[in-house]
Amino acid sequence: MNNRFAFVGGKQGLWQVTRIDNLIGTGLEMVERLDVVNGEADETEAAWILRGLTSNVRYATRVEVNALKQIQPTLNRPEALCAALIPIKKTAQWWDLSQDERREIFEETSHHTEIGMDYLPAVARKLHHCRDIGEPFDFLTWFEYAPEHTKAFEDLLDRLRVTREWDYVEREVDIRLMRLV
Amino acid sequence: MNNRFAFVGGKQGLWQVTRIDNLIGTGLEMVERLDVVNGEADETEAAWILRGLTSNVRYATRVEVNALKQIQPTLNRPEALCAALIPIKKTAQWWDLSQDERREIFEETSHHTEIGMDYLPAVARKLHHCRDIGEPFDFLTWFEYAPEHTKAFEDLLDRLRVTREWDYVEREVDIRLMRLV
């Protein structure tokens, strides 16, 4: 299993880009399509390529892991025609925090996992890490949901973006996609 | 700052390899020298190359981080003529544990940080992560100490290797080095 993924913005791929909102910091330019590649990508015609990798859980407790396993949906559900890719970079101050301080803000204060649970199984989610591999963002989170859950997905983002955790976000782009059928 | 490091086993480098003990699982072949490169390395004449990257703390609490900062020595002390590189791979079972379960084994049960503290400031230590980047090991830990602290360093390793955390180690190599002066 290759744990590396590349998100290639350009003219190719199964996903049509419907919107790019450059929310915090330097943005990404609008493109027509997004190609999701499991492995390496070096498309020379890409407008941009974001790379990340899947890893072990960094904050979740056993209780949370078990609860998530019971309810979280898989990717590629036929009805999940909508997707979002949300690249985020956190501040140096965040990364200087100790593990217990980050966990405290992430869950006990900001309820990141708990909020996400409220939108399961509607919204599927997959996290890719990229801070350690010299990428411009720290995380690339991929979401998939059916069109009728668009409002629920917006609620989820609204709730996360007002948390204390988001005080540590210094760059955020919100890329919305529709699967080409 | 480049957070990537390569440890190149072969005929070059500032460190003379005095011993390689293949403790658990597949070993590494004996070489004359070790070259420590900050960045990429692709020496075609190397017997082996181990790559890793430095990252944020994964388990340490604020109390532990502050205690470590007060007492831990820097690398490259003139008197630290001895070094060790200890590549380790942990089992799939370890990586399937949740964050709280890993922390519990790492510190509350096995006292990994607490044991390490007992040998500060004699033994300098630097951790490199490599599981997520497709390397054969999960961690490469680099240690530096003066010759008169060799016995203390052996004690440190003996104490760690009998902990419950080490039940999850499925591959371990112990490479000992002397700085060429």
Side-chain angles (χ1 to χ4, degrees):
Chain A
M1 187 215 65
N2 191 328
N3 71 330
R4 292 188 70 106
F5 291 83
F7 298 89
V8 184
K11 297 188 173 184
Q12 292 178 51
L14 284 178
W15 294 93
Q16 181 183 359
V17 179
T18 57
R19 213 174 83 212
I20 295 186
D21 291 336
N22 293 308
L23 298 176
I24 307 174
T26 309
L28 290 174
E29 70 171 281
M30 184 63 185
V31 291
E32 284 174 43
R33 303 260 197 111
L34 184 84
D35 197 12
V36 183
V37 179
N38 182 202
E40 299 299 331
D42 56 354
E43 281 84 343
T44 49
E45 295 187 14
W48 41 260
I49 303 181
L50 303 176
R51 296 177 176 85
L53 47 84
T54 55
S55 186
N56 57 291
V57 297
R58 302 286 168 92
Y59 298 108
T61 63
R62 173 52 53 193
V63 169
E64 290 161 357
V65 167
N66 289 348
L68 286 166
K69 276 186 182 162
Q70 282 212 335
I71 196 173
Q72 67 191 356
T74 58
L75 296 183
N76 298 313
R77 290 168 296 171
E79 69 275 20
L81 295 171
C82 298
L85 176 67
I86 305 192
I88 275 179
K89 182 179 172 67
K90 284 181 170 170
T91 61
Q93 194 195 351
W94 171 263
W95 294 111
D96 284 341
L97 294 175
S98 58
Q99 177 67 25
D100 61 329
E101 288 171 331
R102 281 183 277 107
R103 162 75 201 187
E104 166 69 28
I105 295 166
F106 178 85
E107 195 57 37
E108 278 67 41
T109 308
S110 302
H111 309 290
H112 191 131
T113 301
E114 189 184 322
I115 290 170
M117 292 278 291
D118 287 346
Y119 301 89
L120 296 179
V123 180
R125 172 189 167 281
K126 185 152 163 256
L127 179 65
H128 308 81
H129 299 262
C130 36
R131 175 172 183 260
D132 288 334
I133 56 171
E135 284 286 302
F137 293 94
D138 293 341
F139 303 103
L140 310 172
T141 313
W142 177 261
F143 301 91
E144 288 181 10
Y145 51 96
E148 65 262 36
H149 294 127
T150 301
K151 175 67 171 63
F153 182 63
E154 300 296 344
D155 287 347
L156 162 61
L157 296 181
D158 287 348
R159 287 175 64 187
L160 284 174
R161 285 173 178 151
V162 296
T163 62
R164 194 172 145 226
E165 186 191 351
W166 246 252
D167 292 344
Y168 294 90
V169 173
E170 67 174 25
R171 189 175 178 194
E172 179 175 10
V173 180
D174 186 335
I175 303 164
R176 297 305 174 90
L177 309 136
M178 288 286 287
R179 198 200 298 154
L180 292 160
V181 286
Chain B
M1 186 214 63
N2 190 329
N3 71 330
R4 292 189 70 108
F5 291 83
F7 298 88
V8 184
K11 297 188 174 184
Q12 293 179 51
L14 284 179
W15 294 92
Q16 181 183 0
V17 180
T18 57
R19 212 173 84 212
I20 295 187
D21 291 336
N22 292 306
L23 299 176
I24 307 174
T26 308
L28 290 174
E29 70 171 279
M30 185 62 187
V31 291
E32 284 174 43
R33 303 258 198 113
L34 185 83
D35 197 13
V36 183
V37 179
N38 183 201
E40 298 300 331
D42 56 354
E43 281 84 343
T44 49
E45 294 186 13
W48 41 259
I49 302 180
L50 303 175
R51 296 178 175 85
L53 47 85
T54 55
S55 186
N56 56 292
V57 297
R58 302 286 168 91
Y59 297 108
T61 63
R62 173 52 54 195
V63 170
E64 291 160 356
V65 167
N66 289 349
L68 286 166
K69 275 187 183 162
Q70 281 212 335
I71 195 173
Q72 67 190 356
T74 58
L75 296 183
N76 300 312
R77 290 168 294 170
E79 69 275 20
L81 295 171
C82 299
L85 177 67
I86 305 192
I88 276 180
K89 182 179 172 63
K90 283 182 171 172
T91 62
Q93 194 195 349
W94 171 264
W95 294 110
D96 283 342
L97 294 175
S98 59
Q99 177 68 25
D100 60 329
E101 288 170 331
R102 281 184 278 106
R103 163 74 200 187
E104 166 69 28
I105 295 166
F106 179 85
E107 196 56 38
E108 278 67 40
T109 308
S110 302
H111 308 292
H112 191 129
T113 302
E114 189 184 320
I115 290 170
M117 292 277 292
D118 286 346
Y119 301 89
L120 295 178
V123 180
R125 173 188 166 282
K126 183 150 163 254
L127 179 65
H128 310 79
H129 299 262
C130 35
R131 175 172 183 257
D132 288 335
I133 56 169
E135 283 287 300
F137 293 94
D138 293 341
F139 303 102
L140 310 172
T141 314
W142 176 261
F143 302 91
E144 288 180 9
Y145 50 96
E148 65 263 35
H149 294 128
T150 301
K151 175 67 172 62
F153 181 63
E154 300 297 344
D155 287 347
L156 163 61
L157 296 182
D158 287 348
R159 287 176 65 187
L160 284 173
R161 285 174 179 149
V162 296
T163 60
R164 192 169 147 227
E165 187 191 350
W166 246 252
D167 294 344
Y168 294 91
V169 173
E170 66 174 26
R171 190 175 178 194
E172 179 175 8
V173 179
D174 186 335
I175 302 164
R176 296 303 174 90
L177 308 137
M178 288 285 288
R179 198 200 299 153
L180 291 161
V181 284

